Amino acid sequence: MTLTPARVPATGVRRLTATLYGYAFLDDFVLLYPVYALLFADTGLSLWQISSLFALWSITAVVLEVPSGALADAVSRRLLLWVGPLFNAVGFTLWVLVPSYWAFALGFVLWGVGGALCSGSLEALAYDELDRCGAADRYARVMGRVRAARLAATMAAIGLAGPVFALGGYPAVGAGSVLACLLAAAVAARLPEHRKRPESGGDGWAATLRAGLAEAHGNRSVRGALLLIPAVAAVWGALDEYTPLLVRDTGVAEATVPYLILLVWTLVTVATLLTGPAERLGTTGMAWLLAGSAVAMAVGAWTRTPAGIALVGLAFGGFQLAEVLADVRLQHRIDDTRRATLTSVASLGTELVTVATFGAYALLGAGAAHSTVFVVLSVPYLVTALVLAGSRTR
């Protein structure tokens, strides 16, 4: 009899985490990932048109990120998590059935809507449900594994896209992507949600948004946690897009490039599994983690060798680990009624800094090698590490 109370929350945690991992895997198991740029080019789109599609995707995320977070605090977060993948499914269907610039543009808008609905909602639901089970201290470990599941899905999609494409071309990889979205929506519907939605008095998400932004403005601790997330997540997230170019500049054969990219993401995935123990690092430990990762990235890029790419992978793993820890700091500091709103504010900051990093890379890369640009863009992480170390000594 005395063991029964302990078993109930343990069962709830197991159900929650298993569902979260399954959802995260299916949500990123998109076979179109490694080939959609080829689809655009094969349809006849110019480089300018393809770039404009990527910009439209980012703009959609920027515009909807914070309002969707406020919506998640005003309505069911589980609802948004299963509706989001359905938007993605419709977009992918359009891409393969009516391939054209405007279909691709609409697909990216739908993908951006789906991503915005889920951004913030997943973290908020996970934290609140773990807290209900008395397991909020497991949040870092759980979210690290959620990110590892996403990375594993991406690597699996990259590995399977080739054979599937060989069998059925773009329709086959498109159908596989749509199926994964539908399965993700089905899994999301099984997520537990016991939160009582706040009474809005008719103002709904707009009132939630105002309250969340007011908390960010008035609470220094929350504001610092919000700023830390884009400071940690944005630059390396943008550099990831240029890593294949950095790898190619090492002089390896074209056929070897995917294997070195896979090595990078394997190291990132392993790092996400260390978030539980890493939570004990504290502010000073995170400062050292960022500084060490920045040095590893700079040295690895500067050497222009395959071994140097492994160092870049270690650096990316350190940044990913720090990103999860920054999210943990934020979740511990905010109220559950505004959790999704403020998480989305942090995501908005990340999107904006990522776009700025793309611009900086384009400017620097016009006159310098990719290795040099990577070295220069390691500096912001050293600055962030110094700020963290300084805040600890005050």
Side-chain angles (χ1 to χ4, degrees), residues 144-166:
R145 291 174 180 175
V146 164
R147 297 192 185 217
R150 290 189 180 280
L151 293 169
T154 300
M155 291 189 294
I158 291 172
L160 287 176
V164 173
F165 184 82

Side-chain angles (χ1 to χ4, degrees), residues 295-363:
V295 171
M297 183 172 77
V299 173
W302 188 256
T303 60
R304 300 190 191 186
T305 64
I309 298 303
L311 278 177
V312 172
L314 286 173
F316 280 7
F319 296 143
Q320 172 74 93
L321 186 58
E323 183 179 338
V324 177
L325 296 178
D327 174 56
V328 173
R329 289 165 66 98
L330 176 63
Q331 300 302 330
H332 285 330
R333 285 166 169 76
I334 55 182
D335 182 79
D336 62 346
T337 60
R338 293 181 283 275
R339 191 175 303 283
T341 301
L342 291 175
T343 302
S344 289
V345 169
S347 296
L348 171 62
T350 300
E351 291 286 350
L352 291 172
V353 179
T354 298
V355 172
T357 304
F358 284 142
Y361 199 106
L363 290 173

Side-chain angles (χ1 to χ4, degrees), residues 260-309:
L260 289 175
I261 297 298
L262 186 60
L263 170 63
V264 169
W265 284 104
T266 299
L267 293 170
V268 174
T269 303
V270 171
T272 61
L273 298 176
L274 301 175
T275 49
E279 192 175 8
R280 296 192 292 268
L281 287 175
T283 300
T284 301
M286 184 183 288
W288 280 108
L289 175 63
L290 288 173
S293 298
V295 171
M297 183 172 77
V299 173
W302 188 256
T303 60
R304 300 190 191 186
T305 64
I309 298 303

Side-chain angles (χ1 to χ4, degrees), residues 55-255:
L56 179 62
W57 191 16
S58 295
I59 291 170
T60 303
V62 167
V63 170
L64 297 179
E65 188 67 60
V66 175
S68 67
L71 181 64
D73 281 332
V75 301
S76 168
R77 293 160 180 169
R78 177 174 58 194
L79 172 66
L80 299 188
L81 288 172
W82 74 257
V83 168
L86 299 182
F87 278 92
N88 302 346
V90 173
F92 297 152
T93 301
L94 287 173
W95 283 4
V96 295
L97 290 184
V98 285
S100 63
Y101 178 83
W102 295 110
F104 297 146
L106 180 56
F108 267 124
V109 170
L110 291 171
W111 198 354
V113 172
L117 290 176
C118 298
S119 176
S121 300
L122 183 67
E123 293 87 350
L125 183 145
Y127 190 94
D128 285 346
E129 290 300 314
L130 285 170
D131 190 37
R132 186 187 68 86
C133 295
D137 59 327
R138 301 189 193 181
Y139 177 78
R141 185 183 306 113
V142 169
M143 292 311 295
R145 291 174 180 175
V146 164
R147 297 192 185 217
R150 290 189 180 280
L151 293 169
T154 300
M155 291 189 294
I158 291 172
L160 287 176
V164 173
F165 184 82
L167 289 174
Y170 293 118
V173 293
S177 301
V178 170
L179 178 60
C181 292
L182 297 178
L183 290 174
V187 171
R190 296 182 59 83
L191 283 167
E193 185 178 29
H194 297 85
R195 179 181 68 106
K196 290 183 179 180
R197 295 191 291 277
E199 297 294 334
S200 62
D203 287 334
W205 69 267
T208 305
L209 175 58
R210 288 194 298 270
L213 294 177
E215 181 178 355
H217 181 266
N219 189 320
R220 182 177 179 181
S221 175
V222 170
R223 188 166 62 250
L226 282 171
L227 293 173
L228 181 60
I229 291 179
V232 170
V235 174
W236 87 269
L239 290 178
D240 163 53
E241 303 295 336
Y242 300 97
T243 305
L245 301 175
L246 179 70
V247 172
R248 187 171 62 183
D249 279 0
T250 64
V252 299
E254 293 285 340

